[in-house]
Amino acid sequence: MAVRVSDPPDANQLLRARREFLKFLAASPYVATLGGVGAYLERCAFAESDSPATTELIGNPAEALNVFDFEEPARRRISQAHWAYMASGVDDDGTLHANREGFQHIELRPRRLHDATKVDTRVELLGTVYDSPIFLCPTASHRAFFPEGENAVARAAKARGTLMFLSTETTTAVEDVNKTLGRPVWYQLYSPSTWDACQKIVSRVAAAGCPVLTLTVDNTTGRNSETYLRTRPKDMHQCEACHDGVPGTSPQGHPMYDGIDMTGVARQNTAMDWAYLDRLRKEWKGKSFIKGIDTREDARLSVEHGLDGILVSNHGGRATETLRPTIEALPEVVAEVNGRIPVFVDGGFRRGTDIFKALALGARAVGIGRPYLWGLGAFGQPGVDRVIEILQGELKLVMGNCGTQTVKDITRAYVMSPDLKL
């Protein structure tokens, strides 16, 4: 009887198996008694990463070869509760992982014999020139990861000529961040449940000179953060001094709510609809973006309601367990918009090739979130700076190798997919 010898598993199969194992650990009562997955992995010297295993941690940002090199040093320096909050998704974390795996289904079609010495990654976004189409996504509570928080991120963004979005949940006032950055940030709005509170935030942002207001619409009803609840510390009393109760329920420590009576006011408005968006646009005199659009239907409505831009996003896999990566949602949004307004995208971007693929599919700019938080948590400003440097360098490299000298040269002709209709 012949015995069939199976082929050894490839890298993607091993990665999926590792992730399934981590989900199993998260549900294990034994692991919970050790303080959660983070503590268990530390004891076992086992950490989740898409990067090949290394024998030792990097000791400074210059040693990093890719952005994944910052993940484990950051995890060891950031408190368990803060790490669990930042690293987790929702439900089974399937959408979080889908964002990464989506890039594996898109292939590059490089063209040869083009002068790579002339590669220029600069882009113009709403009248301002940036060193690359890579931007820093709005992420909350930077001081939870490093004492200098958003100011450290702003200094790195300034040094690298990078567009920075600032979250409503910032732990540094918008005025201070603008001063550090040397220009106004683009502001991301979580709209509170009362118009008065929303109006006061919008007025303050306008007075600070921010040119763009980006309304987030993909997480208005909250989320089912199972992994966070399983992996955070069991005793949360140590958090009460900063959070005034259960984390995420109080505006304490978030200066954009200063001077606003938030008694009985939810920090996100579950009643928002397109009429509410129209009212907000009348209040705001600058450019208006919307964050969290993933379908052609909502892209069409975004254009019809006069928005100036769309950010395709699933909140880094932290909103609804759609299992649909943003790189897959991007093409239909771009097709529907048909060049009338710019389309940005975020979600799972970790490599220059990932960014190139999104640009080829029509994105005008590509956002990163967790990678720069890893850099921040590991080394502060130098870590964020090095994360941006690595991704800008990788993008320039793939542009040169594929035969594109400018970002505008990157078109759909440079990608294909057996799985998607590209």
Side-chain angles (χ1 to χ4, degrees), residues 64-106:
L65 299 180
N66 58 49
V67 300
F68 297 105
D69 286 341
F70 292 94
E71 184 178 11
E72 183 60 16
R75 186 187 68 79
R76 296 194 180 199
R77 289 176 171 86
I78 296 171
S79 77
Q80 183 182 342
H82 294 164
W83 178 263
Y85 180 79
M86 180 268 292
S88 60
V90 293
D91 291 4
D92 297 319
D93 293 343
T95 307
L96 184 154
H97 299 314
N99 278 343
R100 282 298 305 138
E101 292 166 357
F103 297 107
Q104 302 301 315
H105 304 285
I106 301 173

Side-chain angles (χ1 to χ4, degrees), residues 70-298:
F70 292 94
E71 184 178 11
E72 183 60 16
R75 186 187 68 79
R76 296 194 180 199
R77 289 176 171 86
I78 296 171
S79 77
Q80 183 182 342
H82 294 164
W83 178 263
Y85 180 79
M86 180 268 292
S88 60
V90 293
D91 291 4
D92 297 319
D93 293 343
T95 307
L96 184 154
H97 299 314
N99 278 343
R100 282 298 305 138
E101 292 166 357
F103 297 107
Q104 302 301 315
H105 304 285
I106 301 173
E107 303 164 359
L108 298 182
R109 299 183 67 251
R111 300 294 305 279
R112 307 305 187 192
L113 292 176
H114 293 265
D115 187 351
T117 66
K118 297 180 180 179
V119 172
D120 185 354
T121 63
R122 290 176 299 174
V123 294
E124 181 181 321
L125 302 172
L126 300 189
T128 300
V129 176
Y130 299 94
D131 286 357
S132 80
I134 302 166
F135 67 88
L136 303 183
C137 292
T139 55
S141 306
H142 290 181
R143 287 185 178 176
F145 309 112
F146 190 76
E148 294 180 325
E150 289 81 5
N151 280 330
V153 174
R155 285 194 295 271
K158 181 178 181 179
R160 294 289 168 187
T162 302
L163 169 61
M164 178 179 177
F165 281 75
L166 186 69
S167 170
T168 297
E169 300 298 306
T170 177
T171 45
T172 307
V174 64
E175 297 86 356
D176 295 334
V177 178
N178 285 350
K179 183 178 179 180
T180 301
L181 183 63
R183 62 175 179 269
V185 296
W186 290 19
Y187 191 84
Q188 174 265 344
L189 177 68
Y190 284 127
S191 185
S193 59
T194 68
W195 180 249
D196 179 68
C198 178
Q199 195 174 36
K200 288 178 178 177
I201 293 175
V202 170
S203 296
R204 181 176 174 182
V205 172
C210 297
V212 177
L213 186 73
T214 303
L215 179 66
T216 291
V217 298
D218 60 9
N219 190 34
T220 58
T221 58
R223 52 185 172 232
N224 185 34
S225 305
E226 286 187 21
T227 301
Y228 164 65
L229 294 173
R230 292 184 190 279
T231 56
R232 71 181 188 180
K234 299 305 176 184
D235 183 359
M236 297 292 288
H237 286 93
Q238 62 179 329
C239 298
E240 292 180 358
C242 296
H243 296 284
D244 189 24
V246 178
T249 62
S250 167
Q252 180 178 333
H254 298 284
M256 295 309 296
Y257 299 106
D258 289 352
I260 302 174
D261 184 3
M262 295 294 290
T263 304
V265 179
R267 284 149 70 183
Q268 296 194 50
N269 188 349
T270 60
M272 281 195 306
D273 57 13
W274 290 99
Y276 182 90
L277 175 68
D278 292 338
R279 185 182 186 186
L280 181 63
R281 284 194 61 249
K282 291 179 181 178
E283 180 72 20
W284 174 255
K285 305 307 179 184
K287 298 292 186 180
S288 299
F289 272 50
I290 189 167
K291 178 179 181 289
I293 299 300
D294 298 315
T295 63
R296 64 176 62 87
E297 295 87 351
D298 283 341

